[in-house]
């Protein structure tokens, strides 16, 4: 018989993850998602977000219409290399902010869902 704590069934168990409370690093899956996403859209720009206490450094890819996706990256240099290989401009979100089209896209999505 295996004993379980009250909240054990609520904890997510994923193969390859570290201890709870540790930050997950960028993975090959993150890079693959970014590559596929960027290749299937046009007018894509990259906005690098700094590391926080809960998330490693991330990059937000934003298409011409404001559609966006976010994934972890190893470093600002890695984001620049990613962008350089694909002719995608790379910005630091802390310096330039998010583009208006991203906020408008998010708002349209909220209205479409009725939120």
């Amino acid at each position: 018989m295996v004993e379980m704590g009250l909240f054990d069934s609520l904890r997510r168990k994923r193969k390859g993850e570290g201890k709870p409370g540790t930050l997950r690093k960028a993975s090959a899956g993150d890079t693959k998602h970014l590559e596929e996403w960027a290749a299937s859209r046009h007018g894509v720009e990259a906005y690098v977000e700094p590391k926080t206490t809960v998330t490693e450094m991330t990059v937000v890819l934003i298409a011409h219409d404001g559609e966006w996706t976010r994934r972890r990256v190893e470093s600002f240099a890695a984001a620049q290399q990613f962008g350089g290989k694909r002719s995608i401009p790379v910005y630091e979100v802390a310096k330039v902010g998010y583009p208006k089209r991203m906020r408008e896209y998010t708002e349209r999505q909220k209205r479409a869902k009725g939120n």
Side-chain angles (χ1 to χ4, degrees), residues 15-79:
K15 187 175 182 178
E17 280 197 7
K19 297 176 186 175
T22 60
L23 299 179
R24 183 177 71 79
K25 301 287 186 190
S27 69
D30 292 327
T31 303
K32 182 179 178 187
H33 170 80
L34 294 170
E35 288 171 347
E36 291 172 355
W37 196 92
S40 65
R41 288 152 181 87
H42 66 278
V44 175
E45 296 177 327
Y47 291 80
V48 180
E49 300 172 314
K51 178 180 176 177
T52 68
T53 56
V54 295
T55 307
E56 289 290 340
M57 183 174 286
T58 54
V59 64
V60 178
L61 297 184
I62 305 172
H64 77 285
D65 62 353
E67 182 182 5
W68 59 275
T69 190
R70 174 184 288 121
R71 292 294 185 276
R72 289 170 180 85
V73 290
E74 289 295 322
S75 63
F76 185 73

Side-chain angles (χ1 to χ4, degrees), residues 78-89:
Q80 288 178 310
Q81 184 178 19
F82 177 88
K85 285 181 179 179
R86 294 156 187 85
S87 299
I88 295 172

